[in-house]
Amino acid sequence: MEPLGRIESSLIDYHKLLSEVWTILQANKSKGLLRRTIDRKSDLSDVEKYDRLVDNYNTDFLTDFLLQSHIAGLLQGSAPSVMTSDPPFVYKSVLPQQPELMIGRDEEKSRVIDTLLNKSPARIAILGAGGMGKTTLALSVLHDPAIVDRYPSRYFVSCEGTPTKLSVIVEIADALRIPRESRDARLLDSILSVFPKDSLLCLDNLETIWDEEAARVDLEELLSDLQLPNLSLMITMRGTQRPSRVSWSKPFLPPLQVLSQNTSRRIFEITCGRSPDEFEEELLVAVDGIPLAISLVCSMLEEGNENSESLWNRWGEAQSKVLGNGGKDRLSNLETSIRLSVEGPRMQADSRTIEILAMLSFLPDGFPDNEVAKKELQGHLPMGYDLSEALLTLRRVSLVHLDEAGASRRLRMLNPVRNFCQKRIHFTMELKSSITSFYVAMLHRFEDYTLPEGHAIIPSELHNARAVLKLAWKEGRGNPTIARASIRFTNWSKYLGDAVEEVICLAIEGVAGELDVCGSCHQALGWLYLQSWRLDLAEESFQRALELHGQVHNTLGKAKDTWRLGQVHLRRNSLDKAEAFFEQALPLFRQVHNIVGEANSSRALAEVHLGRNKLNEAENLLEHAFRLHQQVSDSIGAALDLQTFGEVYVRQNKLDRAELSFDCALQLFRQLQSPYGQAYNLQNLGGVRLQQNKLDEAEGMFERSLQLYRQIKNLRGEAYSLTKLGEVCLRRNKKDEAAELFERALQLRRQT
């Protein structure tokens, strides 16, 4: 073929190639904002593919053209000079497109940019769990105008699917446009020699090779070699562990955390162009602030194939498996993203770590990050399981993260990860027994909910204990020991104002043949019903408990059941029946020398006399009860005595003494960390202030009691506080405000 004919043929092929590129670019341009964000990875692959084809064509065409020209020149005796001593030409890097949506990472972006502008050379690791937006952050930084000015040469290398050092080197060579014919055994040396001044290299998804233990040393060696004076380095990687042998710029960028609920809502509003409805709000909470999951929720709703209620219902059934836009890669499917971490090489290296992950997934509030708790749980684990080592691995791969937001440091799992593990990872019977025995022992150790030692631990573990006990009963692993732990759990939940019936109901079913412990379970359930004023159910439970305790001749159990039946009738204002039950309980408590029960019975009889307005008799009985409670150092009994003293003094119009009694009771309940006791006595003190016409002080106390009642979801107390606030408004002649408060109180009372 003649030289011009060959050139013409090459140009025709070039036209076809450019037409393909044009078609791809036009298709991408027609996509919406969210679709371009979701499809970023596949679009990047297409761009890189065609960029290489165009680059290779340019190289081949230029070489062919120069060769033909050189031959023609030789034939004519005037060959052009060709300089062969110049270094290889490095084409300008083509970066993936700038992310069109990045919300909630402004602080992290500012820190990365500040480091890149002020450290020379800078070396930054962007770490975090899968789906946290590490790649998005890196690309946003690479396209920032300040970085563009500072680093004219910027390179982005995807290391996904590059399990060896050599494969990473080849990807870097592709980014640098090093010609194929120039690649040999000294390719790395060529790479290190061609980076222009003020270059910035980003290695994305570096965990692909980092998670392969055999290749980890090779990767660290490569990163060490890339520490050039003219090259700044930025990597993105799942986990929390930075490769060694690199002088990373300080201060380190902390691993990326989940987005706040407000930020999640902003992303939804910007992407979907509207505020989320109730089901979409639930979805945004459920995905736990994971940027990838939020984007997928928006994408699926924007497609219009199902509404928010349908998607929320499917989430309840299948969790992370639901969220996907049709693709199977990590950026298109939430479950794929989670699976990459859970089934990665570092996790597969020790099956026991995976089993411990499954165990932790059943703890909704995570696990305390302190050595005492770890040591105690380790003591319950089977031989061969190393909890500390497993937790270290789980944190390094970002399947578990440290939460320091609350009163104590806790190791937590993100909700979608927890749900995935519960459904996809086998939780062995050995470990189920271990975690159950751990919480049973904890509840046994802190049976007395009035002691401060228990309050330092139990409140933060209550939801975990509930989940573990519930699982034991549902799987048929319950026994009398677990039943007693369930009673202690129920008592704690009642005391802290977060009453839960489910566990004790399961326990009643599970130990039906164990009469004594079953009776105690009915007693605990009745106490929950009594607190929520479901008096018929409370009476039924206490009667059943009394029957069972009677069959096994448990005198103390019978005494408590009888006393509590008296409390049911006291709340109904059936004073004669209440008195009869309290009178029956009193000798039973004395028979077993239970001083606390005797004191409680005396106070209960005082309340009966108070209801009959026999104030002197009530006062005498309270003095006896108070002496007994002090004798055995029963603080909660003493606090209740002081509270009842105050009610007697109010009836006697001795407001100063009433105020002192209520205030002493309030201080004791604060020490005992009883929210209900505090709310009730703040309410009483507000009533005294109201009688004294000290309206500002009364209002303040009713407001504080209202907050506490809301905290513990006590609707009756909340309604009463609103009623008293209405009375304050009436005293101030604010009739409209008073009417509104009375209406709110009435609505709450209707719910009880």
Side-chain angles (χ1 to χ4, degrees):
M1 182 182 289
E2 294 297 321
L4 286 178
R6 292 180 60 176
I7 293 173
E8 180 182 8
S9 177
S10 296
L11 288 173
I12 291 172
D13 292 339
Y14 194 22
H15 178 267
K16 291 180 180 177
L17 175 60
L18 293 177
S19 295
E20 289 182 32
V21 173
W22 174 255
T23 302
I24 293 292
L25 293 176
Q26 286 297 105
N28 288 340
K29 186 178 179 181
S30 66
K31 293 179 181 178
L33 168 63
L34 182 65
R35 178 54 61 187
R36 290 202 297 273
T37 302
I38 295 297
D39 291 347
R40 184 182 70 246
K41 187 67 182 179
S42 58
D43 291 346
L44 168 61
S45 178
D46 288 340
V47 169
E48 289 180 339
K49 169 188 170 185
Y50 284 104
D51 184 51
R52 286 195 193 97
L53 288 173
V54 172
D55 182 29
N56 291 338
Y57 177 85
N58 286 337
T59 302
D60 295 342
F61 176 76
L62 183 60
T63 301
D64 190 50
F65 178 77
L66 289 175
L67 181 60
Q68 295 299 326
S69 299
H70 186 69
I71 293 171
L74 286 174
L75 294 173
Q76 297 172 8
S78 58
S81 61
V82 180
M83 296 184 65
T84 58
S85 59
D86 288 344
F89 182 78
V90 179
Y91 291 97
K92 183 177 180 180
S93 173
V94 177
L95 295 175
Q97 65 184 17
Q98 181 175 2
E100 297 189 49
L101 188 66
M102 191 184 78
I103 299 173
R105 297 292 185 213
D106 294 341
E107 182 180 346
E108 292 90 343
K109 181 178 177 180
S110 295
R111 291 184 63 171
V112 173
I113 290 174
D114 182 67
T115 300
L116 287 169
L117 294 179
N118 296 300
K119 305 282 185 179
S120 184
R123 300 182 184 100
I124 302 167
I126 301 176
L127 308 174
M132 285 296 155
K134 299 180 291 296
T135 302
T136 299
L137 174 59
L139 287 172
S140 182
V141 168
L142 287 172
H143 284 280
D144 187 85
I147 297 302
V148 173
D149 289 343
R150 174 68 176 79
Y151 296 94
S153 301
R154 302 176 319 287
Y155 306 93
F156 180 90
V157 175
S158 174
C159 298
E160 190 167 9
T162 56
T164 65
K165 175 182 175 180
L166 179 58
S167 59
V168 175
I169 291 173
V170 169
E171 290 293 331
I172 297 174
D174 287 345
L176 290 168
R177 306 297 188 266
I178 295 178
R180 300 280 188 237
E181 63 272 14
S182 298
R183 303 182 184 187
D184 54 24
R186 296 184 301 168
L187 178 56
L188 179 57
D189 292 334
S190 299
I191 289 173
L192 299 177
S193 68
V194 300
F195 278 110
K197 181 183 178 183
D198 296 329
S199 294
L200 172 57
L201 172 64
C202 176
L203 300 177
D204 186 49
N205 290 120
L206 206 54
E207 72 275 356
T208 305
I209 177 172
W210 176 251
D211 284 346
E212 296 285 350
E213 188 172 356
R216 201 171 298 163
V217 174
D218 289 342
L219 174 62
E220 291 180 333
E221 185 179 74
L222 173 59
L223 294 176
S224 178
D225 289 337
L226 288 170
Q227 295 184 105
L228 304 173
N230 59 323
L231 177 65
S232 286
L233 181 65
M234 180 165 59
I235 70 168
T236 75
M237 194 163 75
R238 290 189 181 213
T240 61
Q241 191 177 14
R242 294 169 184 80
S244 59
R245 298 184 63 183
V246 179
S247 298
W248 299 108
S249 300
K250 295 181 181 178
F252 296 147
L253 180 72
L256 300 187
Q257 301 299 313
V258 295
L259 301 175
S260 69
Q261 193 60 25
N262 286 338
T263 302
S264 301
R265 192 177 297 109
R266 276 183 60 211
I267 293 173
F268 182 95
E269 291 170 349
I270 291 172
T271 304
C272 298
R274 59 180 174 79
S275 298
D277 62 28
E278 59 176 313
F279 299 108
E280 290 157 351
E281 287 278 11
E282 294 285 359
L283 279 166
L284 292 177
V285 171
V287 299
D288 220 358
I290 300 175
L292 172 62
I294 298 166
S295 296
L296 290 172
V297 167
C298 296
S299 173
M300 296 180 71
L301 292 170
E302 199 175 53
E303 288 172 0
N305 293 323
E306 63 181 326
N307 59 30
S308 58
E309 183 177 5
S310 169
L311 184 58
W312 170 243
N313 289 335
R314 286 206 300 126
W315 172 268
E317 296 168 3
Q319 304 288 333
S320 59
K321 193 173 183 179
V322 168
L323 296 185
N325 64 2
K328 296 298 183 183
D329 63 278
R330 63 180 179 83
L331 293 179
S332 304
N333 186 283
L334 181 59
E335 180 152 316
T336 300
S337 179
I338 296 171
R339 192 183 294 277
L340 283 172
S341 294
V342 174
E343 298 180 358
R346 299 183 75 177
M347 293 293 292
Q348 295 299 320
D350 185 359
S351 61
R352 290 187 176 90
T353 298
I354 299 176
E355 292 171 18
I356 286 177
L357 177 67
M359 178 183 75
L360 295 175
S361 73
F362 282 87
L363 305 182
D365 280 343
F367 192 75
D369 184 39
N370 66 70
E371 293 307 311
V372 173
K374 292 176 187 175
K375 185 176 180 181
E376 287 178 358
L377 179 54
Q378 181 66 60
H380 290 269
L381 295 179
M383 290 289 292
Y385 288 83
D386 189 328
L387 180 64
S388 295
E389 187 65 29
L391 290 174
L392 181 60
T393 299
L394 294 174
R395 289 187 64 182
R396 283 176 170 171
V397 297
S398 286
L399 287 169
V400 166
H401 67 277
L402 180 62
D403 181 1
E404 301 182 85
S408 61
R409 293 157 52 99
R410 298 190 71 81
L411 296 169
R412 297 184 185 273
M413 297 171 67
L414 297 174
N415 285 334
V417 178
R418 281 187 59 236
N419 294 327
F420 174 90
C421 293
Q422 287 177 9
K423 293 179 181 296
R424 300 284 184 268
I425 304 178
H426 178 58
F427 187 7
T428 66
M429 191 59 68
E430 272 190 316
L431 287 185
K432 287 177 182 177
S433 298
S434 297
I435 196 68
T436 302
S437 65
F438 171 76
Y439 279 101
V440 167
M442 177 187 294
L443 289 164
H444 176 73
R445 189 164 68 253
F446 300 114
E447 181 176 8
D448 187 347
Y449 44 77
T450 67
L451 297 178
E453 295 85 354
H455 283 274
I457 293 175
I458 295 296
S460 59
E461 296 298 331
L462 204 61
H463 290 165
N464 288 345
R466 174 186 180 180
V468 169
L469 292 171
K470 177 181 170 183
L471 184 66
W473 288 116
K474 287 198 168 184
E475 293 186 344
R477 293 183 288 110
N479 55 47
T481 300
I482 295 177
R484 293 184 186 93
S486 299
I487 293 169
R488 295 178 186 115
F489 163 81
T490 302
N491 290 338
W492 266 104
S493 75
K494 174 182 69 68
Y495 187 79
L496 294 172
D498 189 18
V500 175
E501 301 168 20
E502 183 181 27
V503 171
I504 200 66
C505 288
L506 289 170
I508 288 171
E509 293 177 11
V511 291
E514 301 284 342
L515 301 186
D516 191 32
V517 71
C518 188
S520 298
C521 288
H522 278 287
Q523 186 185 93
L525 178 61
W527 198 235
L528 287 187
Y529 289 144
L530 186 67
Q531 187 183 48
S532 57
W533 285 76
R534 288 176 285 177
L535 301 182
D536 290 345
L537 290 173
E539 182 178 19
E540 182 182 328
S541 294
F542 291 141
Q543 285 286 8
R544 180 59 179 152
L546 183 60
E547 292 170 11
L548 293 171
H549 284 143
Q551 290 180 43
V552 294
H553 309 293
N554 183 338
T555 303
L556 180 58
K558 288 166 56 181
K560 290 180 178 180
D561 301 331
T562 304
W563 183 85
R564 286 172 177 171
L565 282 166
Q567 289 292 330
V568 171
H569 291 292
L570 188 61
R571 280 165 171 73
R572 287 173 173 159
N573 206 34
S574 301
L575 299 182
D576 290 345
K577 288 184 178 180
E579 183 178 35
F581 277 111
F582 294 141
E583 292 285 5
Q584 291 176 42
L586 187 58
L588 291 173
F589 281 122
R590 285 175 175 160
Q591 182 181 333
V592 293
H593 309 291
N594 189 288
I595 294 175
V596 171
E598 181 182 346
N600 289 342
S601 297
S602 293
R603 183 184 63 250
L605 287 167
E607 291 179 273
V608 171
H609 287 303
L610 181 62
R612 292 169 173 160
N613 211 34
K614 295 182 177 181
L615 303 183
N616 291 332
E617 290 90 336
E619 193 171 1
N620 290 335
L621 283 165
L622 282 173
E623 287 174 356
H624 177 65
F626 189 64
R627 282 196 302 271
L628 290 176
H629 281 130
Q630 284 187 313
Q631 178 184 329
V632 293
S633 301
D634 181 9
S635 298
I636 195 167
L640 289 168
D641 296 337
L642 289 166
Q643 174 182 296
T644 312
F645 266 124
E647 292 169 357
V648 170
Y649 293 141
V650 167
R651 293 280 191 91
Q652 294 172 337
N653 203 32
K654 298 175 181 178
L655 297 185
D656 289 342
R657 296 183 72 176
E659 179 182 349
L660 180 61
S661 294
F662 289 142
D663 191 59
C664 288
L666 176 62
Q667 300 309 317
L668 274 175
F669 280 123
R670 278 181 181 152
Q671 292 176 26
L672 296 167
Q673 300 184 55
S674 167
Y676 179 81
Q678 294 175 63
Y680 190 82
N681 283 282
L682 280 167
Q683 179 182 287
N684 287 336
L685 283 167
V688 172
R689 294 290 192 274
L690 191 61
Q691 283 187 252
Q692 295 169 334
N693 210 35
K694 297 177 180 178
L695 301 185
D696 289 345
E697 293 181 27
E699 182 179 38
M701 288 175 175
F702 291 140
E703 288 283 4
R704 287 158 62 193
S705 69
L706 179 63
Q707 291 172 6
L708 284 166
Y709 281 131
R710 283 176 177 163
Q711 175 186 319
I712 60 177
K713 303 178 182 66
N714 188 305
L715 298 184
R716 291 181 68 90
E718 194 177 334
Y720 188 86
S721 294
L722 286 170
T723 301
K724 302 307 288 185
L725 285 168
E727 291 180 23
V728 171
C729 288
L730 279 180
R731 294 277 189 98
R732 290 171 171 161
N733 205 31
K734 296 181 178 180
K735 295 181 181 178
D736 290 343
E737 291 182 29
E740 182 184 344
L741 288 165
F742 291 147
E743 179 60 30
R744 287 167 58 192
L746 184 60
Q747 290 175 2
L748 287 172
R749 286 300 298 267
R750 286 171 178 161
Q751 296 177 42
T752 61

